[in-house]
């Protein structure tokens, strides 16, 4: 109790105080007075009416279908589209390496650019059409296939594709 009073005596908010004014807070028998003359009445309407209350329908948050909002930096489009492209690109790059033994740079030089452009246009359109209609990936996710899992898989695929390109550049050939 002496430690508490010494801390309270040196409190920067109150400054140094007299021990006698602090004594009223340290006495355990201090109880504030409660008035019992309150004039109010509580009534329940549950017994008066047998009508059912209308159930409130949770409103869905309004989503923007504006093209610039969807492709904004913090919008739903860029990370999801880039993640989907990275997932396809990473699996394709590893698959072609295993089948032909070509590294990523050789794949791009031997006809990979038209395939990349075609895949990018197709996946971007397929990702943007539902977003422009107001459908979000969060509304369609259930079980283990959630929208968060897709975002994380896309992020790891982006990192994997960059790591594959850097590793093959440093190594000077195919990784696998």
């Amino acid at each position: 109790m002496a430690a508490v009073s010494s801390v309270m005596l040196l409190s920067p908010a109150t400054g140094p105080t007299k021990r006698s004014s602090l004594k009223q807070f340290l006495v355990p028998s201090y109880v504030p007075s409660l008035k019992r003359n309150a004039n109010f009445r509580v009534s329940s309407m549950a017994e008066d009416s047998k009508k059912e209350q209308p159930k409130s329908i949770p409103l869905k948050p309004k989503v923007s279908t504006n093209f610039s909002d969807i492709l904004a930096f913090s919008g739903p489009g860029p990370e999801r589209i880039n993640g989907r492209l990275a997932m396809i690109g990473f699996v394709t790059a590893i698959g072609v390496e295993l089948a032909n033994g070509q590294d990523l740079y050789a794949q791009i030089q031997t006809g990979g650019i038209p395939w990349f452009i075609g895949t990018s246009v197709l996946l971007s359109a397929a990702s943007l059409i539902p977003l422009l209609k107001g459908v979000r990936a969060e509304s369609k996710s259930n079980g283990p296939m959630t929208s968060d899992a897709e975002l994380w898989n896309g992020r790891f695929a982006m990192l994997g594709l960059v790591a594959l390109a850097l590793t093959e550049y440093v190594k000077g050939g195919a990784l696998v």
Side-chain angles (χ1 to χ4, degrees):
M1 185 168 293
V4 172
S5 64
S6 66
V7 169
M8 293 179 114
L9 286 173
L10 298 175
S11 173
T14 59
T17 59
K18 295 181 183 177
R19 192 177 278 273
S20 63
S21 65
L22 186 62
K23 192 174 185 179
Q24 66 180 349
F25 295 110
L26 297 177
V27 177
S29 65
Y30 175 73
V31 178
S33 65
L34 300 173
K35 293 185 179 181
R36 296 188 186 264
N37 297 332
N39 294 326
F40 63 90
R41 191 175 81 184
V42 177
S43 65
S44 173
M45 294 179 62
E47 296 174 4
D48 294 340
S49 67
K50 301 283 183 179
K51 293 188 281 185
E52 290 184 22
Q53 297 291 332
K55 294 182 181 179
S56 62
I57 300 170
L59 299 174
K60 294 180 184 176
K62 187 176 180 183
V63 292
S64 175
T65 57
N66 188 358
F67 189 75
S68 61
D69 289 341
I70 290 172
L71 291 180
F73 185 74
S74 62
E79 185 175 10
R80 195 162 306 276
I81 292 170
N82 289 333
R84 289 173 180 171
L85 287 171
M87 287 185 272
I88 295 290
F90 184 75
V91 170
T92 303
I94 295 292
V96 171
E97 268 191 32
L98 289 172
N100 296 342
Q102 293 179 333
D103 63 347
L104 188 62
Y105 299 105
Q107 293 175 30
I108 293 171
Q109 291 173 352
T110 60
I113 299 290
W115 282 102
F116 171 74
I117 292 172
T119 305
S120 298
V121 169
L122 181 68
L123 278 177
S124 296
S127 298
L128 284 175
I129 289 171
L131 292 174
L132 291 172
K133 289 183 177 180
V135 178
R136 296 290 185 250
E138 291 83 10
S139 66
K140 299 291 183 183
S141 61
N142 55 2
M145 303 296 185
T146 63
S147 61
D148 288 338
E150 181 187 15
L151 286 177
W152 279 105
N153 287 335
R155 291 170 185 161
F156 288 131
M158 288 184 245
L159 290 172
L161 201 54
V162 170
L164 178 68
L166 287 175
T167 304
E168 288 180 352
Y169 177 75
V170 169
K171 187 179 174 186
L175 178 68
V176 182

